[in-house]
Amino acid sequence: MASLGVNIDHIANVREARKTIEPDPVPMALLAEIGGADGITVHLREDRRHIQDRDVRLLRETVHTKLNLEMAATKEMEKIALELRPDMVTLVPERRKEVTTEGGLNIESNNNRLKEIINNLQSNDIPVSLFIDPDRTQIEASSNIGALLIELHTGNYAEATTNEKLLELSRIQEATSIANNLGLRVNAGHGLTYQNVEPIARIIGIEELNIGHSIIARALSVGLTEAVREMRKLVSNPREKSF
Ligand code: PXP
């Protein structure tokens, strides 16, 4: 059974749209935990477009479950992670102009820097996950450079037409088993919704799903605690679904 990490960046997006103090993602994280979140995920971007340094500092003190810090593999972020000591770091690619993270890391081209940051964080007991596409080369490279975990990018699955959905699902299933066979722990996320999450949640070997946009959108109707409760139910007890 997969657990649910709730990504609360979008709450900070609303605050930063006005450069004001509300809504505050810090107390909202508590509501997500009350709704059944197994962890809270935030992405501290280099341009600080949503989550701010103050948010991660306060979340480190207040999150009762698990704090997953998404970040780029830069020296600045490495320093922050070593000071903050999140329960896990997920390394993601970052491009200034993107609306959201667009694809997985290219592990081979970043090899040395990634190796160094993984080693520096994991030798300080901060497990590192690499956000990658469900692709054998990327999975093998992740294992070779010493990551303990990967997060499989589910964006292609989420965006696939009905005809392509099964193919994209099988890519994620296969990637999970390749990774597990190499001893990697597997998370997944991006673009998951109340409508498409169940087939992913049924994949044996995926430990955690990280979901943001869909939950925060639903929260506008029913409140964050209820929105998380509904998603938690689908993730922990997924129905068999055909496309
Ligand atoms: N996982 C990673 C690595 C992400 O960058 C994001 C988006 O910030 C998510 C999961 C959550 O994606 P979504 O907001 O589409 O649910």
Side-chain angles (χ1 to χ4, degrees), residues 7 9-10 43 70 90 92 100-101 131 151 189-192 210-214:
N7 182 313
D9 294 348
H10 287 307
H43 184 176
E70 284 181 14
T90 302
V92 298
T100 180
T101 315
F131 184 56
E151 178 175 332
H190 211 281
L192 296 177
N210 277 306
I211 308 179
H213 184 88
S214 191

Side-chain angles (χ1 to χ4, degrees), residues 39 47 74 76 82 85 101 107 154 165 171 180 191 231:
D47 62 9
T74 63
E76 183 206 9
L82 286 170
R85 305 197 57 78
T101 315
I107 305 294
T154 51
K165 272 269 193 281
R171 288 202 168 117
N180 284 163
M231 185 61 87

